Amino acid sequence: MKENMQKDRPYSIGGQAVMEGVMMRGKTVMATAVRDPEGVIQIESERLTPPEKKSKFSRLPFVRGVVNFVRSLIDGNRILMRSADVAMPDDEQPTKAEKWLQEKHGVDLGGIFNFIAVLLGVVLAVAIFIALPQFITGFLPFDKTSTGVDGLWFNLIEGGIRLLVFIAYILIISLIPSLKRVFMYHGAEHKTISCYEKGDELTIENVRGCTRVHDRCGTTFLFLVMIVSILVFSLANLVVAQWLYTGTRLDGVLRVAFKLLLLPVVAGVSYEILRLLSKTKNKIFWIFKAPGLLLQRLTTREPDDKMIECAIVAFKTVLEMEQDPSIPERTFATAGKMSVLLKSVKKRFAVANIEEDEAEWIFALTLNIPKSAVTGDERIVKLAQAKQIIKIADERLTGRPLWYIIGDTDFCGYKIKVDERVLIPRPETEELAMMAVASLEEGQSVLDLCTGSGAIAVAVYKESEKRGKKVQVTAVDISEDALTLAKENAEQNGADIRFLQSDLFTRIRGRFDVIVSNPPYIPRAEIETLQREVKDFEPRLALDGGADGLDIYRKIAEDAFKYLNRGGMLLLEVGEGEAEKVSKMFKGSAYTIIVKDFNGVDRYVKIMS
C-alpha cells in the first residue's frame, strides 16, 4: 500500500529556507510559511504558470537550467525579503523626507534600499567567489595566459581555491545566530520533503525522524556549479587566452568578465547533472552525489518542532492548492503603507471577481475611517491592523459575504447584526422601509412579514420615532433562528418590537394599518445560478420563492386583506420582472401601484385595501 502511495505522489516539490520560515514550490503553486513574533504562522501563496504553458525554448535542456537559476535568484531574494517583513516587522511611520519624496516624486526609498541590497549582494558574490580566488591564484608561479600546462594548472588551482572559499564562507556565516536558524529551517524543509517522498503522513513526529539531506538541494546544485565552473573556466580560458589577454593589469578585469559571461553555461550544465543524479538511486553514482550531500551537513541543522510545523504548513498549502484550483492565493500581513496593502487586496479580489469596493470597506471598517478616505491615503497600517485586514480578506475570498464576516451591516443608518441565519439587507429594501414610514400616522400599527434580521421592523420603528410618530410594530418570521437575531437587533437599537414565530399569517391576530414584506422571490431553479456568496451562504428558506418565485406572494394575496384595516396599505418588494404578475394577484384592492427602485427597476408593489 505504501509503495503505491509513493508512486502516486508528485516529487516535483522543492523548497527554500527563509527568515523564520520555509518556502515550498510545486509545479503550479508556491507557498511560504513564516512564524511571526507573536508565534503565529503566516502564509503567503501564489499560483505559478504551469511548466507546459511556458515557452518551449525555456524548457529546452541546458536552457531550462539557466532559466531556473535566474528565477531562483529573483524569487529567492523576493521571498527572503518578504519573510523578513513578517519575522522582523517595522511599525515605524515614514519620515517627512520619505513622505515628501513619495508624494512629490513618487520615489519609494524602501524599494531603492531593497534594490541596492540586491545589487550589493551580487557584487559581493562576484568579489568573493570569482575575483578573490583569481587574486589569490595570481601569486602562484604560473603563466595564467598560457595555453599549455601552466595555464591549465592555473585555472584548476583557481577553481580549487574557489571551492575552498565557498566552504569557508558557509562555515563563517553558519556562526551568525540568525543564519544558523535559517539553516535549521533548511533542515526542516528537507525533512518534510523526505517524509512526503517516503510515503509517510506529514506529522511533526514523522518528519522529525527523516533525513535532512536531499538529492535536489540547492547546496548540491551550488557545489556542482563550483565543480563544473572549474572545468568550464579552465577549458574556456585555454581556448581564448592567446586572443583575450594582453599581459597587462587589464587581464584581471577581462578574466572576471569572461567568467561572468560563462555563468549561464555553467548553470545550464550543472542543472542537467543535478537532474540526472536526483533521478537515480544507483550506487555507482554515489561518488558524484556524496560531496554535495556532505556539504548539506553544513547548510542544514536539526530543526525544532516549531520549525518543522512551519515546513509542513507550507508543504500542505502547496498540495492543497495544486489539488484544488479554487483555493485563493494568500498574502502575509505586514506593517506598511495602506496604499500598498490596499492595492494587494484589490488585486486578489479582482482575480476572484470580487468588487474592489469591498476591499475599501474592509480598510474603512478596520481602521475606523470614512470609506471615502481610504483611496489615496499613505498612512502606515500597523501589524495588528494589517493582520485583521488580511484575515477578513482571506475569509472573503472563500466566498463568504463580507457583512457576515464583519458581523453587521448598515440599514437606514442603523447597525444590523447579520450572519448565515438571515439574508443580508439590500439597499433597495431600505426604500421599502422608508415607504412604510411615510405611510404611517401617529398610533398606527405595522406588520413586518418575513422579517429576517428585523432590519425593516427596526428602521420603521426608529424612523417613525424620529419623526415624532409612535407606532406599534409586529415582526414575524417562520425561522426561529432568524427571530433570535432580529430580537438582538431590536434590543441593540432600542426598538420596541413584538416578535412572533409564524408562517405568514398563521398565528397573527388583529388588523394592521400597514403590512410590509420582502418575502423570498427567487425561482427555485435560478438559485444555483446566483453568485456563490448568495447560493452557498445565505439561507435557502429566505431565497426560495417556489417554481416561479411567486409562491409566497400568492399566500399573502389570499389572506392580506383579512389583516388590513380599511384604507390600510400593503407594501411588497418583488424580484425583477415580477411586479406586474404580483399586482394582478390582488384583485379586490382599491388600487395597485408599481414603483421603481433607484436603478429604474419595477421593484415595489403598493396595494391599498
Side-chain angles (χ1 to χ4, degrees), residues 423 426 519-524 527 530 534-535 538-546:
L423 285 182
R426 270 56 170 182
Y521 56 68
I522 307 297
R524 188 170 296 140
I527 293 177
L530 300 176
V534 178
K535 68 183 179 67
E538 299 201 72
R540 288 294 176 103
L541 186 63
L543 295 170
D544 192 347

Side-chain angles (χ1 to χ4, degrees), residues 345-556:
V345 174
K346 284 185 175 181
K347 180 180 178 182
R348 297 173 69 205
F349 277 16
V351 173
N353 294 316
I354 298 173
E355 293 182 5
E356 64 177 30
D357 179 73
E358 294 197 32
E360 294 173 5
W361 270 118
I362 293 173
F363 279 77
L365 294 168
T366 303
L367 303 177
N368 196 27
I369 59 176
K371 180 171 171 290
S372 58
V374 172
T375 304
D377 195 319
E378 290 298 328
R379 76 177 66 196
I380 294 296
V381 176
K382 295 183 178 181
L383 178 59
Q385 295 170 327
K387 280 187 173 182
Q388 183 63 18
I389 288 168
I390 295 301
K391 179 182 177 182
I392 295 172
D394 285 346
E395 190 170 357
R396 179 66 186 91
L397 285 164
T398 66
R400 192 179 185 215
L402 177 60
W403 304 113
Y404 284 166
I405 299 169
I406 300 298
D408 57 56
T409 187
D410 181 271
F411 186 84
C412 293
Y414 302 99
K415 185 176 286 189
I416 301 295
K417 293 181 181 180
V418 289
D419 57 31
E420 281 78 357
R421 290 174 287 179
V422 298
L423 285 182
I424 299 168
R426 270 56 170 182
E428 53 266 29
T429 307
E430 291 182 318
E431 292 190 46
L432 180 69
M434 298 313 293
M435 286 181 189
V437 173
S439 303
L440 286 164
E441 300 294 339
E442 170 69 25
Q444 289 190 325
S445 59
V446 57
L447 172 65
D448 178 18
L449 283 177
C450 307
T451 192
S453 65
I456 293 176
V458 168
V460 169
Y461 182 90
K462 296 298 292 184
E463 287 298 306
S464 296
E465 184 179 59
K466 191 183 293 184
R467 288 161 173 73
K469 299 183 290 187
K470 185 170 181 60
V471 298
Q472 299 172 3
V473 181
T474 300
V476 304
D477 201 284
I478 193 173
S479 168
E480 183 179 357
D481 289 338
L483 284 173
T484 299
L485 188 58
K487 289 174 183 177
E488 291 181 29
N489 284 321
E491 183 177 348
Q492 174 180 275
N493 288 282
D496 185 11
I497 299 168
R498 174 175 172 257
F499 289 98
L500 181 66
Q501 185 177 3
S502 175
D503 183 1
L504 296 177
F505 297 105
T506 306
R507 299 182 60 197
I508 298 297
R509 299 293 180 268
R511 290 176 176 268
F512 301 88
D513 297 294
V514 173
I515 297 177
V516 60
S517 184
N518 177 25
Y521 56 68
I522 307 297
R524 188 170 296 140
E526 292 182 15
I527 293 177
E528 287 303 319
T529 67
L530 300 176
Q531 293 176 302
R532 63 172 179 166
E533 289 85 348
V534 178
K535 68 183 179 67
D536 292 343
F537 292 90
E538 299 201 72
R540 288 294 176 103
L541 186 63
L543 295 170
D544 192 347
D548 61 356
L550 304 176
D551 281 3
I552 308 301
Y553 296 103
R554 293 188 183 95
K555 293 179 180 178
I556 292 175

Side-chain angles (χ1 to χ4, degrees), residues 185-202:
Y185 275 106
H186 192 192
E189 173 224 325
H190 282 192
K191 283 173 172 282
T192 302
I193 294 173
S194 296
C195 180
Y196 175 79
E197 292 179 352
K198 279 175 61 181
D200 291 341
E201 183 182 357
L202 287 177

Side-chain angles (χ1 to χ4, degrees), residues 205-367:
E205 184 178 359
N206 287 345
V207 170
R208 193 191 302 129
C210 291
T211 178
R212 69 173 200 262
V213 297
H214 197 278
D215 286 349
R216 299 196 310 273
C217 176
T219 303
T220 300
F221 175 71
L222 290 177
F223 178 79
L224 288 173
V225 166
M226 293 293 167
I227 299 300
V228 172
S229 69
I230 293 174
L231 300 175
V232 172
F233 291 167
S234 297
L235 294 175
N237 270 287
L238 287 176
V239 173
V240 303
Q242 58 183 324
W243 297 295
L244 184 64
Y245 305 130
T246 62
T248 66
R249 292 183 178 180
L250 184 62
D251 284 354
V253 177
L254 291 174
R255 287 172 65 83
V256 171
F258 187 55
K259 290 184 177 74
L260 291 176
L261 288 175
L262 288 173
L263 276 181
V265 177
V266 172
V269 173
S270 301
Y271 180 80
E272 296 305 322
I273 294 174
L274 182 66
R275 276 176 60 92
L276 289 172
L277 291 177
S278 66
K279 288 182 177 181
T280 178
K281 300 296 181 182
N282 195 310
K283 292 182 178 179
I284 296 176
F285 293 94
W286 177 253
I287 190 173
F288 300 105
K289 292 183 179 184
L293 296 176
L294 287 173
L295 198 58
Q296 286 182 44
R297 296 289 179 181
L298 299 179
T299 62
T300 63
R301 294 284 189 275
E302 283 298 323
D304 60 34
D305 287 354
K306 288 186 176 181
M307 294 174 176
I308 292 174
E309 183 186 9
C310 253
I312 291 174
V313 168
F315 197 98
K316 285 185 174 180
T317 300
V318 172
L319 287 181
E320 290 167 2
M321 290 184 67
E322 290 202 326
Q323 292 167 3
D324 185 355
S326 69
I327 297 176
E329 296 179 335
R330 297 176 67 176
T331 187
F332 288 139
T334 58
K337 291 179 181 176
M338 184 168 78
S339 59
V340 175
L341 184 56
L342 177 62
K343 182 179 179 181
S344 171
V345 174
K346 284 185 175 181
K347 180 180 178 182
R348 297 173 69 205
F349 277 16
V351 173
N353 294 316
I354 298 173
E355 293 182 5
E356 64 177 30
D357 179 73
E358 294 197 32
E360 294 173 5
W361 270 118
I362 293 173
F363 279 77
L365 294 168
T366 303
L367 303 177

Side-chain angles (χ1 to χ4, degrees), residues 54-61 63-64 67:
K54 294 179 181 178
S55 68
K56 290 183 178 180
F57 177 75
S58 67
R59 288 182 279 153
L60 291 174
V63 174
R64 62 192 175 192
V67 172

